Amino acid sequence: MGGDRIEPGMEGVVVPLPGVPVAFTVEEVGEARRRWTWRVRAGPVRMRPHHAVTVLPDGRTGTELRMEGPLPALVLYAGPARLVLHRLVRGGAGA
């Protein structure tokens, strides 16, 4: 697997909230369409986020996020995901 690219089968751990490690496995990557889907697991909670980076009609960059999982987990994940996607689109470190 290449260093800076998201690839199917890639596994790891992210910490979207302090003290809450979340294991992930990348399922699909659509490089041409800048989309990726991954499975995440925090203890017994399982989710499946679908992300995309898009070019808006005015030329700016935007993101899309669709999630599958239990509602309480989705609500907790949405805030940190929004911040990380915002940094990703802006090109910030650690995104």
Coordinates of all heavy atoms in Angstrom, one line a residue:
M1 N 0.8 -1.2 0.0 CA 0.0 0.0 0.0 C 0.9 1.2 0.0 O 1.9 1.3 0.7 CB -0.9 0.0 1.2 CG -2.0 -1.0 1.1 SD -3.2 -0.8 2.5 CE -3.1 -2.4 3.2
G2 N 0.5 2.3 -0.8 CA 1.3 3.5 -0.9 C 1.0 4.4 0.3 O 0.0 4.4 0.9
G3 N 2.0 5.2 0.7 CA 2.0 6.0 1.9 C 0.9 7.1 2.0 O 0.2 7.1 3.0
D4 N 0.7 7.9 1.0 CA -0.3 9.0 1.2 C -1.6 8.7 0.6 O -2.5 9.6 0.6 CB 0.3 10.3 0.5 CG 1.6 10.8 1.2 OD1 1.7 10.4 2.4 OD2 2.3 11.5 0.6
R5 N -1.9 7.6 0.0 CA -3.1 7.3 -0.6 C -4.0 6.4 0.3 O -3.5 5.5 1.0 CB -2.9 6.6 -1.9 CG -2.2 7.5 -3.0 CD -2.4 6.8 -4.3 NE -2.0 7.6 -5.4 CZ -2.7 8.7 -5.9 NH1 -3.8 9.1 -5.4 NH2 -2.3 9.4 -7.0
I6 N -5.3 6.7 0.2 CA -6.3 5.8 0.8 C -6.5 4.6 -0.2 O -6.8 4.9 -1.4 CB -7.6 6.5 1.1 CG1 -7.4 7.7 2.0 CG2 -8.7 5.6 1.6 CD1 -8.6 8.6 2.2
E7 N -6.4 3.4 0.3 CA -6.6 2.2 -0.5 C -7.5 1.2 0.1 O -7.5 1.1 1.3 CB -5.2 1.6 -0.8 CG -4.2 2.5 -1.5 CD -2.9 1.8 -1.7 OE1 -2.8 0.6 -1.5 OE2 -1.9 2.5 -2.1
P8 N -8.3 0.5 -0.7 CA -9.1 -0.6 -0.1 C -8.2 -1.6 0.7 O -7.1 -1.9 0.3 CB -9.7 -1.3 -1.4 CG -9.7 -0.2 -2.4 CD -8.4 0.6 -2.1
G9 N -8.8 -2.0 1.8 CA -8.0 -2.9 2.7 C -7.2 -2.2 3.7 O -6.7 -2.9 4.7
M10 N -6.9 -0.9 3.6 CA -6.1 -0.2 4.5 C -6.9 -0.2 5.9 O -8.1 -0.1 6.0 CB -6.0 1.2 4.1 CG -5.1 2.1 4.9 SD -5.0 3.8 4.3 CE -3.8 3.5 2.9
E11 N -6.1 -0.5 7.0 CA -6.7 -0.5 8.3 C -5.9 0.4 9.2 O -4.7 0.7 9.0 CB -6.6 -2.0 8.8 CG -7.4 -2.9 8.1 CD -7.4 -4.3 8.6 OE1 -6.3 -4.7 9.3 OE2 -8.3 -5.1 8.5
G12 N -6.5 0.8 10.3 CA -5.9 1.6 11.3 C -6.8 2.0 12.4 O -7.9 1.5 12.5
V13 N -6.4 3.0 13.1 CA -7.2 3.6 14.2 C -7.1 5.1 14.1 O -6.1 5.7 13.9 CB -6.6 3.1 15.6 CG1 -7.3 3.7 16.8 CG2 -6.7 1.6 15.7
V14 N -8.3 5.7 14.3 CA -8.4 7.2 14.4 C -9.0 7.5 15.8 O -9.6 6.7 16.4 CB -9.2 7.8 13.3 CG1 -8.5 7.6 11.9 CG2 -10.6 7.2 13.2
V15 N -8.7 8.7 16.2 CA -9.3 9.1 17.5 C -10.1 10.4 17.3 O -9.6 11.5 17.4 CB -8.2 9.4 18.6 CG1 -8.8 9.7 19.9 CG2 -7.3 8.1 18.7
P16 N -11.4 10.3 16.8 CA -12.2 11.5 16.5 C -12.6 12.3 17.7 O -12.8 13.5 17.6 CB -13.4 10.9 15.8 CG -13.5 9.5 16.3 CD -12.1 9.0 16.6
L17 N -12.7 11.6 18.9 CA -13.0 12.3 20.2 C -11.9 11.9 21.1 O -11.5 10.7 21.1 CB -14.4 11.8 20.7 CG -15.6 12.2 19.8 CD1 -16.8 11.5 20.3 CD2 -15.8 13.7 19.8
P18 N -11.5 12.8 22.0 CA -10.4 12.4 23.0 C -10.7 11.1 23.7 O -11.8 11.0 24.3 CB -10.4 13.6 23.9 CG -10.9 14.8 23.1 CD -11.9 14.1 22.2
G19 N -9.8 10.2 23.7 CA -10.0 9.0 24.5 C -10.9 7.9 23.8 O -11.2 6.9 24.5
V20 N -11.3 8.2 22.6 CA -12.2 7.2 21.9 C -11.6 6.7 20.7 O -11.7 7.3 19.6 CB -13.6 7.9 21.6 CG1 -14.5 6.9 20.9 CG2 -14.2 8.5 22.8
P21 N -10.7 5.6 20.8 CA -10.1 5.1 19.6 C -11.2 4.4 18.7 O -12.0 3.7 19.2 CB -9.1 4.1 20.1 CG -9.6 3.7 21.5 CD -10.4 4.9 22.0
V22 N -11.1 4.6 17.4 CA -12.0 4.0 16.5 C -11.2 3.2 15.4 O -10.4 3.8 14.7 CB -12.9 5.1 15.8 CG1 -13.8 4.5 14.8 CG2 -13.7 5.8 16.9
A23 N -11.4 1.9 15.4 CA -10.7 1.1 14.4 C -11.4 1.2 13.0 O -12.7 1.4 13.0 CB -10.7 -0.4 14.8
F24 N -10.7 1.3 11.9 CA -11.3 1.4 10.6 C -10.7 0.4 9.6 O -9.5 0.0 9.7 CB -11.2 2.8 10.1 CG -9.9 3.2 9.7 CD1 -9.4 3.0 8.4 CD2 -9.0 3.9 10.6 CE1 -8.1 3.4 8.0 CE2 -7.8 4.3 10.2 CZ -7.3 4.1 8.9
T25 N -11.5 0.1 8.6 CA -11.0 -0.6 7.4 C -11.6 0.1 6.2 O -12.8 0.3 6.1 CB -11.5 -2.1 7.4 OG1 -11.0 -2.7 8.6 CG2 -11.0 -2.8 6.2
V26 N -10.8 0.5 5.3 CA -11.3 1.1 4.0 C -11.8 0.0 3.1 O -11.2 -0.9 2.9 CB -10.1 1.9 3.3 CG1 -10.6 2.5 2.0 CG2 -9.6 3.0 4.2
E27 N -13.1 0.2 2.7 CA -13.8 -0.8 1.9 C -13.6 -0.5 0.4 O -13.3 -1.3 -0.4 CB -15.3 -0.8 2.2 CG -15.6 -1.4 3.5 CD -17.1 -1.5 3.7 OE1 -17.9 -0.8 3.1 OE2 -17.5 -2.4 4.5
E28 N -13.9 0.8 0.0 CA -13.9 1.1 -1.4 C -13.3 2.5 -1.6 O -13.4 3.4 -0.7 CB -15.3 1.2 -1.9 CG -16.2 0.0 -1.8 CD -17.6 0.2 -2.2 OE1 -17.8 1.0 -3.2 OE2 -18.5 -0.3 -1.6
V29 N -12.6 2.7 -2.7 CA -12.1 4.0 -3.0 C -12.4 4.2 -4.5 O -12.1 3.4 -5.4 CB -10.5 4.1 -2.8 CG1 -10.0 5.4 -3.3 CG2 -10.2 3.8 -1.4
G30 N -13.0 5.4 -4.8 CA -13.2 5.8 -6.2 C -12.4 7.0 -6.4 O -12.8 8.1 -6.3
E31 N -11.1 6.8 -6.8 CA -10.1 7.8 -6.9 C -10.6 8.9 -7.9 O -10.5 10.1 -7.7 CB -8.8 7.3 -7.3 CG -7.7 8.0 -6.6 CD -6.3 7.3 -6.8 OE1 -6.2 6.1 -6.5 OE2 -5.4 8.0 -7.3
A32 N -11.1 8.5 -9.1 CA -11.5 9.4 -10.1 C -12.6 10.3 -9.6 O -12.7 11.5 -10.0 CB -11.9 8.7 -11.4
R33 N -13.5 9.8 -8.8 CA -14.6 10.5 -8.3 C -14.4 11.1 -6.9 O -15.2 11.7 -6.3 CB -15.9 9.7 -8.3 CG -16.2 9.3 -9.8 CD -17.5 8.6 -9.9 NE -18.6 9.5 -9.5 CZ -19.8 9.1 -9.1 NH1 -20.1 7.8 -9.1 NH2 -20.8 9.9 -8.8
R34 N -13.2 10.8 -6.4 CA -12.8 11.3 -5.0 C -13.8 10.9 -4.0 O -14.2 11.7 -3.2 CB -12.5 12.8 -5.0 CG -11.4 13.2 -5.9 CD -11.1 14.6 -5.9 NE -12.0 15.4 -6.7 CZ -12.0 16.7 -6.9 NH1 -11.1 17.4 -6.2 NH2 -12.8 17.3 -7.7
R35 N -14.1 9.6 -3.9 CA -15.0 9.0 -2.9 C -14.3 7.8 -2.2 O -13.5 7.1 -2.8 CB -16.3 8.5 -3.6 CG -17.0 9.6 -4.3 CD -18.3 9.0 -5.0 NE -19.0 10.1 -5.7 CZ -19.9 10.8 -5.2 NH1 -20.2 10.7 -3.9 NH2 -20.5 11.8 -5.9
W36 N -14.7 7.6 -1.0 CA -14.3 6.5 -0.3 C -15.3 6.1 0.8 O -16.0 6.9 1.3 CB -12.9 6.7 0.4 CG -12.8 7.7 1.4 CD1 -12.8 7.5 2.8 CD2 -12.7 9.1 1.3 NE1 -12.6 8.6 3.5 CE2 -12.6 9.7 2.6 CE3 -12.7 10.0 0.2 CZ2 -12.5 11.1 2.8 CZ3 -12.6 11.4 0.4 CH2 -12.5 11.9 1.7
T37 N -15.3 4.8 1.1 CA -16.2 4.2 2.1 C -15.3 3.4 3.0 O -14.4 2.7 2.6 CB -17.2 3.3 1.4 OG1 -18.0 4.0 0.5 CG2 -18.2 2.6 2.4
W38 N -15.7 3.5 4.3 CA -14.9 2.7 5.3 C -15.8 2.1 6.3 O -16.9 2.7 6.5 CB -13.7 3.4 5.8 CG -14.0 4.8 6.5 CD1 -15.1 5.6 6.2 CD2 -13.2 5.5 7.4 NE1 -15.0 6.8 7.0 CE2 -13.8 6.7 7.7 CE3 -12.0 5.2 8.0 CZ2 -13.3 7.6 8.5 CZ3 -11.4 6.1 8.9 CH2 -12.1 7.3 9.1
R39 N -15.4 1.1 7.0 CA -16.1 0.5 8.2 C -15.4 1.0 9.4 O -14.1 1.0 9.4 CB -16.1 -1.0 8.2 CG -17.0 -1.6 7.1 CD -17.1 -3.1 7.3 NE -15.8 -3.7 7.6 CZ -15.0 -4.3 6.7 NH1 -15.4 -4.4 5.5 NH2 -13.8 -4.8 7.1
V40 N -16.1 1.5 10.4 CA -15.5 1.9 11.6 C -16.1 1.2 12.8 O -17.3 0.8 12.7 CB -15.6 3.5 11.8 CG1 -14.8 4.2 10.8 CG2 -17.0 3.9 11.9
R41 N -15.3 1.0 13.8 CA -15.7 0.2 15.0 C -15.1 0.8 16.3 O -13.9 1.0 16.4 CB -15.2 -1.2 14.8 CG -15.6 -2.2 15.9 CD -15.1 -3.6 15.7 NE -13.6 -3.6 16.0 CZ -12.7 -3.7 15.2 NH1 -12.9 -3.8 13.9 NH2 -11.4 -3.8 15.5
A42 N -16.0 1.1 17.2 CA -15.6 1.6 18.5 C -16.3 0.7 19.5 O -17.5 0.8 19.7 CB -15.9 3.1 18.7
G43 N -15.6 -0.3 20.1 CA -16.2 -1.2 21.0 C -17.3 -2.0 20.2 O -17.0 -2.5 19.1
P44 N -18.5 -2.1 20.7 CA -19.5 -2.8 20.0 C -20.2 -2.0 18.9 O -21.0 -2.6 18.1 CB -20.5 -3.2 21.1 CG -20.4 -2.0 22.0 CD -18.9 -1.6 22.0
V45 N -19.9 -0.7 18.8 CA -20.6 0.1 17.8 C -19.9 0.0 16.4 O -18.7 0.1 16.3 CB -20.6 1.6 18.3 CG1 -21.2 2.5 17.3 CG2 -21.3 1.7 19.6
R46 N -20.8 -0.2 15.4 CA -20.3 -0.3 14.0 C -21.0 0.8 13.2 O -22.2 1.0 13.3 CB -20.6 -1.7 13.4 CG -20.2 -2.9 14.2 CD -18.7 -3.1 14.1 NE -18.3 -4.4 14.6 CZ -17.9 -4.5 15.9 NH1 -17.9 -3.5 16.7 NH2 -17.4 -5.7 16.3
M47 N -20.2 1.4 12.3 CA -20.7 2.4 11.4 C -20.1 2.2 10.0 O -19.0 1.6 9.9 CB -20.5 3.8 11.9 CG -21.2 4.2 13.1 SD -21.1 5.9 13.6 CE -19.5 6.4 13.0
R48 N -20.7 2.8 9.0 CA -20.2 2.8 7.7 C -20.3 4.2 7.0 O -21.3 4.5 6.5 CB -20.9 1.7 6.8 CG -20.2 1.4 5.5 CD -20.9 0.2 4.9 NE -20.2 -0.2 3.7 CZ -20.8 -0.3 2.6 NH1 -22.2 -0.2 2.5 NH2 -20.2 -0.6 1.5
P49 N -19.3 5.0 7.1 CA -19.3 6.3 6.5 C -18.9 6.3 5.0 O -18.0 5.5 4.7 CB -18.2 7.1 7.3 CG -17.9 6.3 8.5 CD -18.2 4.9 8.1
H50 N -19.6 7.1 4.2 CA -19.3 7.2 2.8 C -18.9 8.7 2.6 O -19.7 9.6 2.9 CB -20.5 6.9 2.0 CG -21.1 5.6 2.3 ND1 -20.8 4.5 1.5 CD2 -22.0 5.2 3.2 CE1 -21.5 3.4 2.0 NE2 -22.2 3.9 3.0
H51 N -17.7 9.0 2.2 CA -17.2 10.3 2.0 C -16.9 10.6 0.6 O -16.6 9.8 -0.2 CB -15.8 10.5 2.7 CG -15.9 10.3 4.2 ND1 -16.3 11.3 5.1 CD2 -15.5 9.2 5.0 CE1 -16.2 10.8 6.3 NE2 -15.8 9.6 6.3
A52 N -17.0 11.9 0.2 CA -16.7 12.4 -1.1 C -16.2 13.8 -1.0 O -16.7 14.6 -0.2 CB -17.9 12.3 -2.0
V53 N -15.2 14.1 -1.9 CA -14.8 15.5 -2.1 C -15.3 15.9 -3.5 O -15.0 15.2 -4.5 CB -13.2 15.6 -2.0 CG1 -12.8 17.0 -2.2 CG2 -12.8 15.1 -0.6
T54 N -15.9 17.0 -3.6 CA -16.5 17.5 -4.9 C -16.1 18.9 -5.2 O -15.7 19.7 -4.4 CB -18.1 17.5 -4.7 OG1 -18.5 18.3 -3.7 CG2 -18.6 16.1 -4.4
V55 N -16.2 19.2 -6.5 CA -16.0 20.5 -7.0 C -17.4 21.1 -7.2 O -18.2 20.6 -7.9 CB -15.2 20.5 -8.3 CG1 -15.0 22.0 -8.8 CG2 -13.8 19.9 -8.1
L56 N -17.6 22.3 -6.5 CA -18.9 22.9 -6.6 C -19.0 23.7 -7.9 O -17.9 24.1 -8.5 CB -19.1 23.8 -5.4 CG -19.0 23.1 -4.0 CD1 -19.0 24.1 -2.9 CD2 -20.1 22.1 -3.9
P57 N -20.2 24.1 -8.3 CA -20.3 24.9 -9.6 C -19.5 26.2 -9.7 O -19.1 26.6 -10.7 CB -21.8 25.2 -9.6 CG -22.5 24.1 -8.8 CD -21.5 23.8 -7.7
D58 N -19.3 26.8 -8.5 CA -18.5 28.0 -8.5 C -17.0 27.8 -8.4 O -16.2 28.7 -8.3 CB -19.0 28.9 -7.4 CG -18.7 28.4 -6.0 OD1 -18.1 27.3 -5.9 OD2 -19.1 29.0 -5.0
G59 N -16.6 26.5 -8.5 CA -15.2 26.2 -8.5 C -14.6 25.9 -7.1 O -13.5 25.4 -7.0
R60 N -15.3 26.2 -6.1 CA -14.8 25.8 -4.7 C -14.9 24.3 -4.5 O -15.6 23.6 -5.3 CB -15.7 26.6 -3.6 CG -15.5 28.1 -3.7 CD -16.3 28.8 -2.6 NE -17.7 28.4 -2.8 CZ -18.5 28.2 -1.7 NH1 -18.1 28.3 -0.5 NH2 -19.8 27.9 -1.9
T61 N -14.3 23.9 -3.4 CA -14.4 22.4 -3.1 C -15.3 22.2 -1.9 O -15.4 23.0 -1.0 CB -13.0 22.0 -2.7 OG1 -12.1 22.2 -3.7 CG2 -12.9 20.5 -2.4
G62 N -16.1 21.1 -2.0 CA -17.0 20.8 -0.9 C -16.9 19.3 -0.6 O -16.1 18.6 -1.2
T63 N -17.6 18.9 0.4 CA -17.5 17.5 0.8 C -18.9 17.0 1.0 O -19.9 17.7 1.2 CB -16.8 17.3 2.2 OG1 -17.5 18.0 3.2 CG2 -15.4 17.7 2.1
E64 N -19.1 15.7 0.9 CA -20.3 15.0 1.2 C -20.0 13.9 2.2 O -18.9 13.3 2.2 CB -20.8 14.3 -0.1 CG -21.2 15.2 -1.2 CD -21.5 14.5 -2.5 OE1 -21.9 13.2 -2.4 OE2 -21.5 15.1 -3.6
L65 N -21.0 13.6 3.1 CA -20.8 12.6 4.0 C -22.2 11.9 4.2 O -23.2 12.6 4.5 CB -20.4 13.1 5.4 CG -20.3 12.1 6.6 CD1 -19.4 10.9 6.3 CD2 -19.9 12.8 7.8
R66 N -22.2 10.6 4.0 CA -23.4 9.8 4.2 C -23.0 8.7 5.2 O -21.9 8.1 5.0 CB -24.0 9.2 2.9 CG -25.3 8.5 3.1 CD -25.8 8.1 1.7 NE -24.9 7.4 0.8 CZ -24.7 6.0 0.8 NH1 -25.4 5.3 1.7 NH2 -23.9 5.5 0.0
M67 N -23.8 8.4 6.2 CA -23.4 7.4 7.2 C -24.5 6.4 7.4 O -25.7 6.7 7.4 CB -23.1 8.1 8.5 CG -22.0 9.1 8.4 SD -21.5 9.9 10.0 CE -23.0 10.9 10.4
E68 N -24.1 5.2 7.7 CA -25.0 4.1 8.2 C -24.5 3.6 9.5 O -23.3 3.5 9.8 CB -24.9 2.9 7.2 CG -25.2 3.2 5.8 CD -24.8 2.1 4.8 OE1 -24.8 0.9 5.3 OE2 -24.5 2.4 3.7
G69 N -25.5 3.5 10.5 CA -25.2 3.0 11.8 C -26.2 3.4 12.8 O -27.2 4.0 12.4
P70 N -26.0 3.1 14.1 CA -27.0 3.5 15.1 C -27.0 5.0 15.3 O -26.0 5.7 15.3 CB -26.5 2.8 16.4 CG -25.2 2.2 16.0 CD -24.9 2.4 14.6
L71 N -28.2 5.6 15.4 CA -28.4 7.0 15.5 C -27.5 7.7 16.5 O -26.9 8.7 16.2 CB -29.9 7.4 15.7 CG -30.2 8.9 15.7 CD1 -29.8 9.5 14.4 CD2 -31.7 9.1 15.9
P72 N -27.4 7.2 17.8 CA -26.6 7.9 18.7 C -25.1 8.0 18.3 O -24.5 9.1 18.4 CB -26.7 7.1 20.0 CG -28.0 6.4 19.9 CD -28.2 6.1 18.4
A73 N -24.6 7.0 17.7 CA -23.2 7.0 17.2 C -23.1 7.9 16.0 O -22.1 8.7 15.9 CB -22.8 5.6 16.8
L74 N -24.1 8.0 15.2 CA -24.0 8.9 14.0 C -24.0 10.4 14.5 O -23.2 11.2 13.9 CB -25.2 8.7 13.1 CG -25.2 7.3 12.5 CD1 -26.5 7.1 11.6 CD2 -24.0 6.9 11.7
V75 N -24.8 10.7 15.5 CA -24.8 12.0 16.0 C -23.5 12.4 16.6 O -22.9 13.5 16.4 CB -25.9 12.2 17.0 CG1 -25.8 13.5 17.8 CG2 -27.3 12.0 16.4
L76 N -22.8 11.5 17.4 CA -21.5 11.8 18.0 C -20.4 11.9 16.9 O -19.5 12.7 17.0 CB -21.1 10.7 18.9 CG -21.8 10.7 20.3 CD1 -21.5 9.4 21.1 CD2 -21.4 11.9 21.1
Y77 N -20.5 11.1 15.8 CA -19.5 11.1 14.8 C -19.6 12.3 13.9 O -18.6 12.8 13.3 CB -19.6 9.8 14.0 CG -18.6 9.7 12.8 CD1 -17.3 9.3 13.1 CD2 -19.0 10.0 11.5 CE1 -16.4 9.2 12.1 CE2 -18.0 9.9 10.5 CZ -16.8 9.5 10.8 OH -15.9 9.3 9.8
A78 N -20.8 12.9 13.7 CA -21.0 13.9 12.7 C -20.2 15.2 13.0 O -19.6 15.7 12.0 CB -22.5 14.3 12.6
G79 N -20.1 15.6 14.2 CA -19.3 16.8 14.5 C -17.8 16.7 14.2 O -17.3 17.5 13.4
P80 N -17.1 15.7 14.8 CA -15.7 15.5 14.5 C -15.5 15.2 13.0 O -14.5 15.7 12.4 CB -15.3 14.3 15.3 CG -16.3 14.2 16.4 CD -17.6 14.8 15.9
A81 N -16.4 14.5 12.3 CA -16.2 14.2 10.9 C -16.3 15.5 10.1 O -15.5 15.7 9.2 CB -17.3 13.3 10.4
R82 N -17.2 16.4 10.5 CA -17.3 17.7 9.8 C -16.0 18.5 9.9 O -15.5 19.1 8.9 CB -18.4 18.5 10.4 CG -18.6 19.8 9.7 CD -19.8 20.5 10.3 NE -20.0 21.8 9.6 CZ -20.7 22.8 10.0 NH1 -21.3 22.7 11.1 NH2 -20.7 23.9 9.3
L83 N -15.4 18.5 11.1 CA -14.1 19.2 11.3 C -13.0 18.6 10.5 O -12.2 19.4 9.8 CB -13.7 19.2 12.8 CG -14.6 20.0 13.7 CD1 -14.2 19.8 15.2 CD2 -14.6 21.5 13.4
V84 N -12.9 17.3 10.5 CA -11.8 16.6 9.7 C -12.0 16.9 8.2 O -11.0 17.2 7.5 CB -11.8 15.1 10.0 CG1 -10.8 14.4 9.1 CG2 -11.3 15.0 11.5
L85 N -13.2 16.8 7.7 CA -13.5 17.0 6.3 C -13.2 18.4 5.9 O -12.6 18.7 4.8 CB -14.9 16.6 5.9 CG -15.2 15.1 5.9 CD1 -16.7 14.8 5.7 CD2 -14.4 14.4 4.8
H86 N -13.5 19.3 6.8 CA -13.2 20.8 6.5 C -11.7 21.0 6.4 O -11.2 21.6 5.5 CB -13.8 21.6 7.7 CG -13.5 23.1 7.5 ND1 -14.2 23.8 6.6 CD2 -12.7 23.9 8.1 CE1 -13.8 25.1 6.6 NE2 -12.8 25.2 7.6
R87 N -10.9 20.4 7.3 CA -9.5 20.5 7.2 C -8.9 19.8 5.9 O -8.0 20.3 5.3 CB -8.8 19.8 8.4 CG -9.0 20.7 9.7 CD -8.1 20.3 10.8 NE -7.6 18.9 10.8 CZ -7.6 18.1 11.9 NH1 -8.1 18.5 13.0 NH2 -7.2 16.9 11.8
L88 N -9.5 18.7 5.6 CA -9.1 17.9 4.4 C -9.3 18.8 3.1 O -8.4 19.0 2.3 CB -9.9 16.7 4.2 CG -9.7 15.9 2.9 CD1 -8.3 15.3 2.9 CD2 -10.7 14.8 2.8
V89 N -10.4 19.5 3.0 CA -10.7 20.3 1.9 C -9.8 21.5 1.9 O -9.4 22.0 0.8 CB -12.2 20.7 1.9 CG1 -12.5 21.8 0.8 CG2 -13.1 19.5 1.6
R90 N -9.5 22.1 3.0 CA -8.7 23.2 3.1 C -7.2 22.9 3.0 O -6.4 23.7 2.9 CB -8.9 23.9 4.5 CG -10.2 24.6 4.6 CD -10.0 25.9 5.1 NE -11.1 26.7 5.2 CZ -11.3 27.8 4.5 NH1 -10.4 28.2 3.6 NH2 -12.3 28.6 4.7
G91 N -6.9 21.6 3.1 CA -5.5 21.1 2.9 C -4.7 21.2 4.2 O -3.5 21.2 4.2
G92 N -5.5 21.2 5.4 CA -4.8 21.3 6.7 C -4.1 20.0 7.1 O -4.4 19.0 6.6
A93 N -3.1 20.2 8.0 CA -2.4 19.0 8.5 C -3.3 18.2 9.3 O -4.1 18.7 10.0 CB -1.2 19.5 9.3
G94 N -3.0 16.9 9.3 CA -3.7 16.0 10.2 C -5.0 15.6 9.7 O -5.8 14.9 10.4
A95 N -5.4 16.0 8.6 CA -6.8 15.7 8.1 C -6.9 14.3 7.6 O -5.9 13.7 7.1 CB -7.2 16.7 7.0

